[in-house]
Amino acid sequence: MLNDRVGLVLGVANKRSIAWACAESCIGQGAKVAFTYQGERLLRNVEKVTADLEDTLLIPCDVTNQAEVDSAFESIDKKYGRLDFLIHSIAFAPREALEGEFLATTRDAFLTALEISAFSLAQVSRSAKPLMKNGGSVVTMSYYGAEKVVENYNVMGVAKSALESCTRYLANDLGRHGIRVNAISAGPLNTLSARGVKNLTGFLKHVEERSPLKRNVEAREVGDTAMFLVSDLSSGITGETIYVDCGYNIMGI
Ligand code: 1JT
């Protein structure tokens, strides 16, 4: 399905990362995948996870550093001369912002969360555009807290709303260049990011009880949806947010 395609995946922290599940699914369909990592601290992890891959590229890329973003895309251009898909799976908010009242969000936490979690999609899409010479597909990760109030999710919910809106505006700008942009709204997963969440276990149990499928989503299922979105199977879909949450979001009372 993805033979001869080159992709870039942002946001692998370890083997449980949603980004890694996306990469695995795409590689399984024949894609070549390069990875960015944030800071030396995560390089070891990404090296470990990608050790068995051939023809990969590990590039440092902290999105708050424009020079690093520029040189990341230069590296892609130099090695592959093209890019067919990009999977954006990064977000950040200071830990204190993900508990208590949203009302208490500081200016600094707000700006950081929106910069790293939403603006970065526009930033990397802009850099990817000239490399997506034969069209392309960009996929990002959202969460239900973008649409409805989820206790403690707070400023990340606001950032994910902005991210979903960025997805639509970018889809409009890039559509004429044959580039599609979509978001996946994944159900909660026990990843490194989620580890800091208060009462994650109770939260996962709640979804298990309430979702139509009576279980939590697996990273593989999110990865497979990302693979679908970067493949030609989804050629008519852009600007969309697709829920991969065992149906949790459709429920009322
Ligand atoms: C971030 C973190 C983004 C955790 C995230 C996230 N998107 C989803 N999660 C998991 C989650 C987090 C909370 C939650 C439910 C799910 C942590 C680091 C910053 C970026 O609240 C009930 C808080």
Side-chain angles (χ1 to χ4, degrees), residues 143-161:
Y143 177 63
Y144 186 60
E147 201 180 300
K148 291 283 196 288
V149 173
V150 173
E151 295 275 342
N152 298 319
Y153 201 59
N154 298 347
V155 73
M156 271 313 302
V158 176
K160 292 299 191 185
S161 292

Side-chain angles (χ1 to χ4, degrees), residues 10-191:
L10 296 87
V12 175
N14 61 31
K15 67 177 194 318
R16 297 176 93 123
S17 296
I18 295 173
W20 176 243
C22 294
E24 266 194 313
S25 186
C26 295
I27 292 163
Q29 292 299 316
K32 278 181 211 166
V33 176
F35 298 85
T36 67
Y37 58 92
Q38 190 241 332
E40 285 304 308
R41 190 174 52 90
L42 289 171
L43 175 58
R44 293 287 127 70
N45 286 0
V46 180
E47 274 175 344
K48 226 187 289 167
V49 170
T50 60
D52 294 337
L53 300 183
E54 38 192 86
D55 218 11
T56 187
L57 189 60
L58 310 185
I59 320 166
C61 183
D62 176 338
V63 293
T64 63
N65 181 342
Q66 185 60 43
E68 253 185 40
V69 175
D70 292 343
S71 87
F73 283 87
E74 271 166 35
S75 306
I76 296 283
D77 194 17
K78 221 181 258 168
K79 182 167 167 84
Y80 305 104
R82 61 183 283 169
L83 192 65
D84 301 296
F85 64 89
L86 184 150
I87 297 174
H88 172 279
S89 185
I90 58 181
F92 179 74
R95 180 185 276 237
E96 324 79 77
L98 295 178
E99 56 186 44
E101 293 190 338
F102 170 70
L103 194 59
T105 308
T106 62
R107 180 187 305 267
D108 196 48
F110 189 98
L111 294 176
T112 301
L114 270 94
E115 180 185 16
I116 298 181
S117 315
F119 171 71
S120 66
L121 182 70
Q123 184 184 22
V124 298
S125 297
R126 182 154 69 231
S127 297
K129 180 185 159 199
L131 289 175
M132 291 183 164
K133 295 162 195 160
N134 305 311
S137 175
V138 176
V139 175
T140 187
M141 297 300 150
S142 192
Y143 177 63
Y144 186 60
E147 201 180 300
K148 291 283 196 288
V149 173
V150 173
E151 295 275 342
N152 298 319
Y153 201 59
N154 298 347
V155 73
M156 271 313 302
V158 176
K160 292 299 191 185
S161 292
L163 179 71
E164 292 180 8
S165 188
C166 286
T167 299
R168 292 186 284 272
Y169 279 90
L170 291 167
N172 180 49
D173 288 344
L174 294 170
R176 74 200 67 201
H177 302 287
I179 301 169
R180 299 181 292 110
V181 186
N182 292 288
I184 291 173
S185 187
L189 279 154
N190 193 3
T191 65

Side-chain angles (χ1 to χ4, degrees), residues 16 18 142-145 150 153 185-191 193-195 197-208 211 215-219 221-222 243-249:
R16 297 176 93 123
I18 295 173
S142 192
Y143 177 63
Y144 186 60
V150 173
Y153 201 59
S185 187
L189 279 154
N190 193 3
T191 65
S193 279
R195 210 59 64 75
V197 175
K198 261 193 178 166
N199 193 23
L200 182 72
T201 318
F203 197 67
L204 292 170
K205 196 161 159 275
H206 172 84
V207 171
E208 208 175 291
S211 66
R215 63 175 178 85
N216 278 285
V217 76
E218 290 168 24
E221 297 173 309
V222 178
Y243 276 89
V244 182
D245 66 343
C246 297
Y248 180 83
N249 80 94

